[in-house]
Amino acid sequence: MSKGYEITNNIRTLRFFADEMSQQKLAEKTGVSRQTINAIELGKYTPSLDLAYKIARVFNVSIDEVFEYKENEEKKKDK
């Protein structure tokens, strides 16, 4: 059963434009492991609100510029 929503992110792009910041460097700046950053980038893990804010602050952008919440089409039709 699907969650009814998808959360995508722009972390890889933000890292690229931040002097090609490595996943390890972002992990160090946010207090998590490189594997956690990798899982978030791949959409396999949804970060806590706290971590989402930390990631946004590293890049000096809003959370909306890092993450996007999308409802699945099936869920929209049910409303």
Side-chain angles (χ1 to χ4, degrees):
M1 184 173 192
S2 76
K3 295 185 278 188
Y5 66 89
E6 175 183 16
I7 297 177
T8 59
N9 69 75
N10 297 310
I11 296 173
R12 178 177 241 152
T13 301
L14 290 164
R15 286 192 306 104
F16 177 81
F17 286 110
D19 294 327
E20 298 185 21
M21 180 187 294
S22 68
Q23 288 180 341
Q24 182 62 43
K25 187 69 171 175
L26 179 57
E28 290 168 6
K29 288 178 175 274
T30 56
V32 297
S33 69
R34 185 204 58 80
Q35 291 85 350
T36 297
I37 297 299
N38 182 264
I40 294 168
E41 280 189 17
L42 295 174
K44 295 181 178 183
Y45 175 73
T46 302
S48 66
L49 187 56
D50 178 56
L51 180 53
Y53 270 106
K54 287 179 182 179
I55 292 168
R57 285 188 179 143
V58 166
F59 298 113
N60 199 31
V61 297
S62 70
I63 285 183
D64 286 343
E65 292 177 77
V66 181
F67 299 97
E68 184 177 355
Y69 176 91
K70 298 178 185 177
E71 283 189 80
N72 291 338
E73 291 301 314
E74 294 173 6
K75 264 309 205 202
K76 287 182 182 178
K77 291 177 186 175
D78 290 344
K79 288 185 173 181

